[in-house]
């Protein structure tokens, strides 16, 4: 089926107004399949040659994981620029969330309250935090609202694949708990180090999630966090 919403921000796709959330240029949208997916292949830099000197080792591009074809899903222009260029240079005039009367939200707490109100009781919340932008990506109001609703929260410290090689992950976990007083109030096992890029740490996350899940009593799972976490 054709995707209706952006995976990055949740805005509904549209190609009419670039100042409105969910904008995708019509030409870019046509590059994707009906399911909103397209194959991309990274091209190497340099100049192609017909031959190389004898003794020079040759490695086929297919042997490099970074040059293998991969599938990408369609996202809006705002999320694309944020993901690839780390910029929000295109101003979006319309806000994503509105009050029931149609008025725009003016305070972050109003957005947090709106989100948490929609979370079902006894659900499991996975709160994503960017390890490289820790203070900006932590949402204390969100955590406090979840706790007031008696929701179980697991913190996911993401992007650990970008940390220097050889860093001790347990020290990163302890550092994270010291950086946020809210994390100090949760068990050490409820702070998981992961990489959404490489999949590192997901097996430990699954083990921790199984502690709160029961096949006989299914629960809803919500993933919360700031954009680009």
């Amino acid at each position: 089926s054709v995707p209706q919403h952006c995976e990055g921000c949740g805005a509904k796709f549209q190609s009419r107004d670039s100042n409105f959330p969910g904008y995708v240029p019509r030409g870019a949208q046509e590059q994707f399949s009906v399911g909103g997916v397209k194959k991309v292949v990274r091209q190497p830099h340099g100049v192609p040659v017909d031959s190389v000197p004898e003794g020079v080792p040759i490695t086929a591009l297919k042997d490099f994981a970074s040059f293998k074809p991969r599938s990408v899903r369609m996202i809006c222009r705002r999320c694309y620029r944020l993901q690839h260029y780390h910029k929000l240079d295109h101003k979006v005039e319309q806000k994503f969330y509105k009050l029931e009367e149609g008025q725009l939200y003016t305070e972050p707490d109003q957005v947090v309250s709106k989100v948490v109100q929609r979370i079902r009781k006894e659900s499991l919340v996975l709160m994503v935090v960017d390890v490289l932008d820790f203070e900006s990506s932590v949402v204390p109001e969100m955590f406090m609202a979840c706790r007031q609703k008696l929701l179980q929260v697991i913190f996911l410290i993401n992007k650990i694949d970008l940390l220097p090689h050889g860093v001790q992950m347990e020290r990163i976990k302890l550092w994270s708990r010291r950086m946020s007083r809210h994390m100090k109030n949760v068990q050490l096992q409820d702070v998981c180090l992961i990489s959404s890029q490489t999949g590192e740490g997901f097996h430990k996350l699954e083990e921790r999630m199984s502690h709160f899940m029961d096949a006989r009593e299914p629960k809803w799972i919500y993933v919360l966090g700031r954009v680009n976490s």
Side-chain angles (χ1 to χ4, degrees):
S1 61
V2 180
Q4 299 294 321
H5 297 83
C6 174
E7 281 193 346
C9 61
K12 188 174 182 179
F13 285 129
Q14 54 88 19
S15 301
R16 302 181 305 277
D17 189 347
S18 61
N19 291 322
F20 200 80
Y23 177 74
V24 179
R26 193 170 300 278
Q29 197 169 5
E30 292 173 352
Q31 299 176 12
F32 290 83
S33 66
V34 176
V37 179
K38 74 174 181 179
K39 292 284 187 179
V40 296
V41 180
R42 180 185 173 190
Q43 298 298 326
H45 297 287
V47 179
V49 296
D50 297 327
S51 61
V52 296
E54 185 178 352
V56 175
I58 300 176
T59 305
L61 287 179
K62 64 180 182 179
D63 295 333
F64 290 93
S66 57
F67 290 107
K68 292 182 178 180
R70 60 188 180 90
S71 299
V72 296
R73 301 190 66 83
M74 185 169 63
I75 55 178
C76 70
R77 185 170 71 173
R78 176 179 180 272
C79 290
Y80 181 87
R81 292 184 176 183
L82 180 63
Q83 183 180 104
H84 293 276
Y85 303 111
H86 307 290
K87 291 182 179 180
L88 283 175
D89 53 353
H90 182 72
K91 185 179 180 181
V92 176
E93 299 293 344
Q94 302 293 332
K95 300 291 182 71
F96 292 124
Y97 301 98
K98 294 183 179 181
L99 296 167
E100 278 66 18
E101 297 81 8
Q103 299 178 356
L104 300 178
Y105 285 106
T106 58
E107 300 295 334
D109 289 348
Q110 293 176 310
V111 179
V112 170
S113 176
K114 178 78 170 183
V115 172
V116 176
Q117 282 179 6
R118 292 174 176 267
I119 298 179
R120 302 186 180 218
K121 292 182 179 180
E122 299 182 356
S123 298
L124 178 62
V125 176
L126 306 181
M127 196 161 293
V128 185
V129 179
D130 186 346
V131 71
L132 301 182
D133 191 17
F134 194 92
E135 294 181 343
S136 298
S137 58
V138 170
V139 190
E141 300 86 358
M142 186 76 74
F143 173 75
M144 294 173 63
C146 289
R147 275 306 175 90
Q148 289 176 359
K149 201 170 179 178
L150 303 179
L151 299 171
Q152 181 63 44
V153 178
I154 298 179
F155 282 96
L156 308 184
I157 312 301
N158 192 26
K159 301 184 181 179
I160 60 173
D161 57 295
L162 300 180
L163 294 175
H165 179 70
V167 67
Q168 297 183 16
M169 292 301 170
E170 286 302 316
R171 296 188 63 179
I172 297 297
K173 182 180 291 190
L174 293 174
W175 170 81
S176 301
R177 286 168 62 84
R178 288 197 297 266
M179 287 290 290
S180 171
R181 64 183 180 87
H182 303 287
M183 289 190 191
K184 291 181 181 178
N185 297 328
V186 302
Q187 297 185 33
L188 186 62
Q189 299 93 324
D190 291 337
V191 179
C192 298
L193 306 180
I194 66 166
S195 168
S196 58
Q197 179 70 22
T198 65
E200 183 178 356
F202 273 69
H203 64 288
K204 292 185 178 180
L205 173 60
E206 291 177 2
E207 291 177 359
R208 188 55 184 166
M209 290 176 62
S210 64
H211 180 75
F212 304 105
M213 310 298 289
D214 188 339
R216 296 168 296 181
E217 299 180 2
K219 288 185 177 181
W220 284 76
I221 302 175
Y222 295 84
V223 181
L224 306 179
R226 291 194 188 276
V227 176
N228 206 37
S229 294

